């Protein structure tokens, strides 16, 4: 928690406007012993995703402290939920904006739950087809979300500029009648 508070302080000192958390637990995002990283060149080769998520997640009991510190420092604090229980939790903290991660764009129950809050939604589109983006936008709009921002995202780490194809940004804006921006790594 001390490191998290230092990050909030550093973000405020640098002139940032907002910070974003990720809200999940290992149990809500993976299953123990099912997904092992098998890429030999990976930093996490041989590790179980469940264990990595358990180690890397921001504990839910830290969220309120982080939200409060951000507010105290004049920052908007919001989060990416990864399941419906995270939305319920974030609503208890009055999360002002929801961010949908690239790999959750086709998580229709999550999109419906977020849309029903009536709050703005930002969606990363990395690894998505146009039809998946369309389904996400239609789901959000048909469930009451009128403030949607799509982020053109290239799900490569790090993303090379030549692979980013940012010329699709105006195309996405015209296709989906939404704000469109860039998600970068």
């Amino acid at each position: 928690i001390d490191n998290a508070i230092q990050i909030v302080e550093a973000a405020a000192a640098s002139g940032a406007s907002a910070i974003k958390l990720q809200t999940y637990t290992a149990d809500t995002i993976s299953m123990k012993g099912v997904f092992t990283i098998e890429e030999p060149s990976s930093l996490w080769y041989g590790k179980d995703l469940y264990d990595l998520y358990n180690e890397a997640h921001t504990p839910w009991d830290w969220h309120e402290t982080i939200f409060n510190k951000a507010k105290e420092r004049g920052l908007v604090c919001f989060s990416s939920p990864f399941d419906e229980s995270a939305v319920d939790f974030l609503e208890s903290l009055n999360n002002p904006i929801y961010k949908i991660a690239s790999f959750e764009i086709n998580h229709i129950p999550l999109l419906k739950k977020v849309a029903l809050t009536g709050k703005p939604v930002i969606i990363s589109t990395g690894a998505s087809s146009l039809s998946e983006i369309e389904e996400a936008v239609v789901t959000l709009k048909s469930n009451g979300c009128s403030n949607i921002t799509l982020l053109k995202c290239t799900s490569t780490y790090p993303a090379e500029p030549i692979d980013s194809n940012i010329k699709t940004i105006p195309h996405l804006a015209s296709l989906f009648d939404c704000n469109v921006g860039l998600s970068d790594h």
Side-chain angles (χ1 to χ4, degrees), residues 42-57:
S42 172
L43 176 65
W44 302 289
Y45 176 69
K47 302 262 184 164
D48 185 88
L49 280 181
Y50 181 95
D51 294 334
L52 290 172
Y53 288 137
N54 197 41
E55 181 181 331
H57 83 284

Side-chain angles (χ1 to χ4, degrees), residues 64-86:
E64 185 173 14
T65 301
I66 295 168
F67 269 69
N68 289 340
K69 177 54 76 172
K71 185 176 183 178
E72 175 187 308
R73 293 299 310 236
L75 298 172
V76 173
C77 184
F78 64 104
S79 190
S80 291
F82 284 79
D83 76 301
E84 297 88 329
S85 70

Side-chain angles (χ1 to χ4, degrees), residues 82-84 87 100 103-116 123 131-140 142-143:
F82 284 79
D83 76 301
E84 297 88 329
V87 177
I100 303 299
F103 290 102
E104 302 307 312
I105 196 169
N106 59 2
H107 189 328
I108 301 305
L110 176 63
L111 296 176
K112 287 180 180 178
K113 182 94 173 182
V114 165
L116 290 170
I123 308 175
S131 63
E132 289 170 323
I133 298 169
E134 178 179 31
E135 183 177 21
V137 170
V138 167
T139 298
L140 289 170
S142 66
N143 285 277

